[in-house]
Amino acid sequence: MLAERINRLTSSLVRDILAAASSPGVTSFAGGLPAEHALFVPDLAALPAGALAGALQYGPSEGEPALREQVAAMLSAQGLPCTAGQVLILNGSQQGIDLVAKLAIEPGRRVLVESPTYLAALQSFRLFGAELDGWGSDEGMPPAGRLEKGLRTDTRLTYLNPTFQNPSGACYSHSERQALAAELDCHSLIVFEDDPYRDLAYDTPAPPPLVSHLQQAPWVYQGSFSKILAPGLRLGYLVAHPALFPHLLRLKQAADLHSNRLSQILVCDALQTGKLPAHLARILPVYRARRDAMADSLQRHLGDLARWQLPAGGLFFWLTLAERCDTMALMRDLLKEDRVAIMPGEPFFAVPDARSCIRLNFSHADAGQIDAGVARLAGRLRTLLCH
Ligand SMILES: Cc1ncc(COP(=O)(O)O)c(C=O)c1O
């Protein structure tokens, strides 16, 4: 009775962890959740007169024209010149992953992803029957060389998260992006760049998007308002090469007609009136301080047990444990005995990896909770490694 692809829907382990992580008394390093007090609270009463006219009626599938203009201007300023006509407003950037998967994947299609990569993209690509290849685990090599090693003649899509990646926190430099783009231009595939963390830069601004360096390859670029305003708004956007845009628009129409108009009006107002940059200026110091607090706690409690890079942006530390360890068991024991939630590394790999890794979010807990949680993590890890 059910479609064959339903068998490919992977387990709900991640949803289970996230549900457990939100129970009272649990310190959560598990999800990519903004801090509660860092959520943008829209002021409906302050909207200009008439701004809400039409908000409750059906709207254009492409998105509200004024918001598309704002997004095009924002991206052009970030180094990806584009017009409002190339912008498609999404109900969250997770929708862009679904639309691109529908556009480019059929059973058996080879898709190349970073290793590790965003686990919900893997779930979506698998649902549509992709055969996944991973690149990136050979840390001694420059990214373009590693990418080349992973590419196969029949790869038709690559999914990249080059800026403060989820989960690794990695950010490719300007020259690495140029070299990767030049490599990708030599192959016949769609380049899909996912960029929801760009504005959460704690040290220096991120280099322009990788797709801005492409000369030949068709591309899709997407971003999100979830991490910088509020995920409950469910608002993101994509910009696409002219050869792909009409198909993505039709897929969006078929999926849900258009994105939530009320959210679009609120976000458009936040962009037009400068509330968005003001909000960012308020939350960046909070997240930077939490990142630094976690770096300090990790050094003190886990310095001999794991290695990591300080993330220059985004929301996560990615730890490679010094010894092999069952990170699923670590996650379960830590949640049950210590009331601390973490994400095991396994679900972030398209192909099994020999390393034992965990992902820790630093935006949700405060500095005190971070230190107590990391201390409990270190204690639980030592216990597990002794057995
Ligand atoms: C890399 C990446 N892409 C997409 C998403 C989906 O975000 P949203 O649908 O809230 O825009 C996330 C959320 O964590 C993410 O980390």
Side-chain angles (χ1 to χ4, degrees), residues 8 20 26 29 46 50 57 66 72 125-126 146 159 186 201 205 210 222 239 241 259 264 277 351 356 362 367 370 376:
R8 293 194 290 264
V26 171
F29 301 144
Q57 190 50 274
F125 299 158
R126 285 195 182 111
R146 283 182 262 150
Y159 168 76
C186 301
L210 183 142
Q222 70 170 16
V239 186
H241 186 276
S259 297
Q264 292 189 67
V351 283
S356 297
F362 59 80
I370 287 176
R376 278 181 266 157

Side-chain angles (χ1 to χ4, degrees), residues 132-157:
L132 297 168
D133 298 308
W135 69 277
S137 45
D138 189 349
E139 286 167 20
M141 227 187 227
R146 283 182 262 150
L147 176 90
E148 197 180 0
K149 262 178 58 183
L151 276 168
R152 300 162 58 128
T153 47
D154 54 350
T155 307
R156 289 292 166 265
L157 172 70

Side-chain angles (χ1 to χ4, degrees), residues 32 91-95 97 118 159 161 165-166 194-197 222-227 231 234-236 316 359:
N91 272 318
S93 61
Q94 188 65 34
Q95 181 173 46
I97 295 174
Y118 175 47
Y159 168 76
N161 180 196
Q165 200 228 27
N166 179 3
D194 192 5
D195 207 7
Y197 299 102
Q222 70 170 16
S224 174
F225 295 106
S226 289
K227 312 295 176 178
R234 302 311 304 129
L235 218 59
F316 308 105
R359 189 193 73 176

Side-chain angles (χ1 to χ4, degrees), residues 23 58 78 109 140 173 200 204 216 218-219 229 233 237 241 268-269 294 301 304 324 342 352 354 357 359 381:
S23 15
Y58 284 116
Q78 288 171 352
R109 209 24 95 77
S173 68
L200 298 182
T204 50
Q216 308 282 338
W219 52 269
L229 289 176
L233 290 166
Y237 49 85
H241 186 276
C268 188
D269 177 69
M294 186 169 271
H301 300 296
D304 57 332
R324 280 212 40 85
I342 61 163
C357 301
R359 189 193 73 176
L381 186 56

Side-chain angles (χ1 to χ4, degrees), residues 2-22:
L2 303 183
E4 192 243 332
R5 65 175 164 274
I6 295 304
N7 299 324
R8 293 194 290 264
L9 275 175
T10 41
S11 90
S12 60
L13 165 86
V14 174
R15 268 188 297 276
D16 292 349
I17 300 173
L18 293 179
S22 60

Side-chain angles (χ1 to χ4, degrees), residues 58-62 88-92 95 98-99 102 234 248-260:
Y58 284 116
S61 298
E62 295 88 340
L88 180 63
I89 305 296
L90 304 167
N91 272 318
Q95 181 173 46
D98 179 66
L99 298 184
K102 285 175 180 158
R234 302 311 304 129
L248 288 162
L249 174 57
R250 274 181 228 126
L251 285 166
K252 165 80 182 165
Q253 261 159 359
D256 62 358
L257 301 182
H258 64 79
S259 297
N260 181 307

